Amino acid sequence: MADLSLRHVNKKYSSNTSAVKDFSIDIEDEEFVVLVGPSGCGKTTLLRMIAGLEDLTDGEIYIDGRRVNQLSAKDRDIAMVFQNYALYPHMTVYDNMGFALKLKNLKKKDINRKIEEAAKILGIEHLMDRRPAALSGGEKQRVALGRAIVREPKIFLMDEPLANLDVQLRGQMRIEITKLHKTLKSTMIYVTHDQIEAMTMGDRIVVMKDGEVQQIDTPENIYNHPANLFVAGFIGSPQMNILEGTVHQQNNIAVVRLIDGTELAIEADMAEILLDKGYNDKNIYAGIRPEHLNAVVKSSPDKKMTYISGEVEVIENTGADVYLHLKKCGIKMIAKISKIAEIELEDQVNIAVNPSDIHFFDEETGEAIIKL
């Protein structure tokens, strides 16, 4: 396998529209990196540039320390799996998987060995004589993966390979691709707009927006320490609740005062950072994930907690969890609780929040205000 380095990669089209802006990353050998972001953010364009299917406007791409800008796609030793499986309809599974190997003039026994090994890994040995029309969506996807595996490439590129599958099958294939990565010990770059796929599959995640990198980090760090408002809202399902408020210091204690007068307590070390950075009497955004709004309070308040009240507009009961859609400060909020607890529509509820679970963002830049 191989490591991959992208250095200040840019892509502009004739209309002067920038699809990718100053993208840089170093990907280690055997690493699984996921590119995630909304449609049109430049993920697929970036993948195609790595594969050699798109020319760079500026920047450099290195594979195993070798600059490959000048190399054609066929000379980069990269295998790409697309959203549309692109199988040859008139060929059997065996022939589809072995087509690229035949073009390389490999011996018949070597082709058989590679196909058999890949088919065993993917569990499709019994499909060798079938044509694509006789396969399910999941089987077609496995064949497409097998066609990439037999080539034994330096790097695997996957462009939303699960997008055409139903929800249950997508869940199964997420697991299969993760297992495949561990089995092959390969370098993989995976494109998706599904943040659940990103969180569950990648060693690292690259969050993109409008062609620019917003954050590169492990799934855990991106979830717990989002770099800005966009990442905070994009990663997490349902997305993070964002409330606007003003920092106030009173009696050596700092709070965030919301529009309706609610005061959110700030833990001591975070309060010190906010005050040291000059946020006293300034507006900021406070972010709270729905799963951290999980305790509906009817008894005496806990002095270690802060409280948010809101009117219940919608109750979604999924069985294991209940999502309360609340109206607060003129905006919509979501709380994720474990039980309905006799809550009804239009009830005014109080929900406990641990101050350590609140994220803070600069109002002007949207950047996270983080602990040092």
Side-chain angles (χ1 to χ4, degrees):
M1 298 305 165
D3 55 47
L4 174 69
S5 180
L6 281 70
R7 302 177 187 176
H8 306 291
V9 170
N10 290 273
K11 179 64 179 181
K12 286 186 178 181
Y13 293 103
S14 56
S15 62
N16 208 33
T17 301
S18 292
V20 177
K21 306 173 186 176
D22 196 28
F23 187 102
S24 296
I25 189 174
D26 290 317
I27 298 174
E28 297 179 2
D29 184 22
E30 299 184 15
E31 190 173 12
F32 195 133
V33 171
V34 178
L35 307 180
V36 66
S39 297
C41 73
K43 307 182 300 293
T44 296
T45 300
L46 187 65
L47 211 67
R48 288 174 61 84
M49 287 192 289
I50 295 170
L53 302 176
E54 292 264 5
D55 292 328
L56 283 66
T57 304
D58 293 297
E60 296 176 310
I61 298 177
Y62 291 85
I63 297 176
D64 270 347
R66 181 190 181 192
R67 188 176 183 273
V68 298
N69 291 43
Q70 74 285 359
L71 295 183
S72 64
K74 66 182 179 63
D75 295 324
R76 295 193 184 190
D77 199 7
I78 287 174
M80 192 164 179
V81 180
F82 298 91
Q83 176 178 341
N84 296 316
Y85 318 120
L87 301 177
Y88 296 109
H90 63 287
M91 292 185 181
T92 64
V93 168
Y94 176 93
D95 290 332
N96 265 283
M97 290 176 64
F99 185 70
L101 303 181
K102 289 181 180 178
L103 292 180
K104 290 183 177 181
N105 294 317
L106 265 65
K107 294 180 179 179
K108 181 70 173 178
K109 65 176 183 180
D110 292 329
I111 293 176
N112 288 339
R113 176 181 56 80
K114 289 176 180 289
I115 292 176
E116 288 173 3
E117 289 175 355
K120 185 176 181 180
I121 291 172
L122 295 166
I124 56 174
E125 304 102 312
H126 60 294
L127 302 177
M128 290 295 103
D129 294 330
R130 295 189 191 179
R131 287 181 169 78
L135 303 177
S136 68
E139 289 169 342
K140 290 178 183 178
Q141 189 59 74
R142 283 183 169 86
V143 174
L145 288 169
R147 186 171 55 186
I149 292 170
V150 296
R151 293 177 54 192
E152 298 179 351
K154 289 183 177 179
I155 298 172
F156 286 89
L157 305 180
M158 300 190 184
D159 187 11
E160 303 206 42
L162 309 185
N164 293 335
L165 304 180
D166 60 49
V167 174
Q168 184 175 0
L169 192 52
R170 285 182 73 152
Q172 294 174 358
M173 287 302 299
R174 282 202 306 268
I175 296 172
E176 292 300 322
I177 292 176
T178 302
K179 289 166 60 178
L180 180 64
H181 172 249
K182 293 179 179 178
T183 300
L184 298 178
K185 300 185 184 302
S186 55
T187 304
M188 288 188 178
I189 305 172
Y190 186 101
V191 160
T192 182
H193 65 270
D194 186 329
Q195 55 93 20
I196 294 178
E197 287 182 16
M199 290 293 293
T200 56
M201 298 175 73
D203 297 320
R204 281 193 297 164
I205 297 174
V206 181
V207 184
M208 297 182 66
K209 177 189 177 187
D210 299 330
E212 295 183 285
V213 172
Q214 302 297 305
Q215 188 170 356
I216 302 176
D217 214 325
T218 63
E220 181 180 9
N221 284 341
I222 282 183
Y223 179 83
N224 292 322
H225 308 289
N228 54 41
L229 283 170
F230 175 79
V231 177
F234 192 82
I235 299 296
S237 182
Q239 69 179 35
M240 183 182 288
N241 299 296
I242 304 294
L243 299 168
E244 186 176 359
T246 306
V247 177
H248 286 287
Q249 184 179 17
Q250 51 190 26
N251 301 324
N252 296 322
I253 297 175
V255 298
V256 174
R257 186 174 297 159
L258 305 182
I259 297 172
D260 66 349
T262 299
E263 293 185 347
L264 302 180
I266 306 173
E267 60 177 347
D269 55 350
M270 189 68 228
E272 183 178 353
I273 291 170
L274 289 170
L275 297 175
D276 286 346
K277 291 187 174 184
Y279 283 99
N280 189 33
D281 293 326
K282 288 187 177 181
N283 289 347
I284 63 171
Y285 290 108
I288 310 170
R289 294 201 180 278
E291 52 268 37
H292 294 149
L293 294 173
N294 55 21
V296 179
V297 179
K298 291 187 177 181
S299 57
S300 301
D302 184 340
K303 293 182 179 180
K304 294 181 180 179
M305 307 293 280
T306 190
Y307 297 87
I308 289 182
S309 63
E311 180 184 333
V312 178
E313 291 192 317
V314 177
I315 300 174
E316 289 184 307
N317 189 347
T318 66
D321 299 297
V322 177
Y323 294 96
L324 301 182
H325 294 251
L326 310 174
K327 186 176 181 180
K328 172 72 175 178
C329 299
I331 68 169
K332 308 296 183 182
M333 292 184 58
I334 301 178
K336 179 182 177 181
I337 63 175
S338 57
K339 295 181 180 180
I340 295 181
E342 300 179 357
I343 296 171
E344 297 180 358
L345 295 179
E346 299 184 359
D347 278 356
Q348 195 76 17
V349 297
N350 299 310
I351 300 181
V353 185
N354 190 325
S356 65
D357 290 328
I358 303 176
H359 302 258
F360 299 97
F361 304 90
D362 185 274
E363 184 189 43
E364 294 183 2
T365 67
E367 295 299 309
I369 305 166
I370 60 175
K371 300 177 184 179
L372 301 178

